[in-house]
Amino acid sequence: MISIIIPAYNAAKHIGHCLEAIREQRTSYGPVEVIVVSDGSVDETAAVAREHGATVYEIPHQGP
């Protein structure tokens, strides 16, 4: 299994496209787990990521 972790801050406009691109990838390593860490986003980043099947963690904004 491959785990992909995506840090995101107010990325609702782009996160769906990112997750769709990941879903289209083919790998011989087995299933792909996608985790989005919403860094205090105040838009719909977490909701969009969940709609695309990602596991979402929401944390207070801390930056890189």
Side-chain angles (χ1 to χ4, degrees):
M1 175 187 285
I2 295 176
S3 296
I4 300 173
I5 301 170
I6 303 171
Y9 176 69
N10 292 339
K13 290 172 96 176
H14 306 287
I15 195 74
H17 297 292
C18 177
L19 295 171
E20 288 173 16
I22 290 169
R23 187 175 342 140
E24 292 176 6
Q25 300 299 308
R26 301 293 178 246
T27 176
S28 61
Y29 295 107
V32 175
E33 167 190 42
V34 179
I35 300 167
V36 173
V37 180
S38 178
D39 183 23
S41 297
V42 294
D43 65 1
E44 297 297 315
T45 298
V48 173
R50 285 187 185 99
E51 288 173 8
H52 284 83
T55 299
V56 177
Y57 293 95
E58 297 184 68
I59 62 172
H61 182 61
Q62 298 175 28

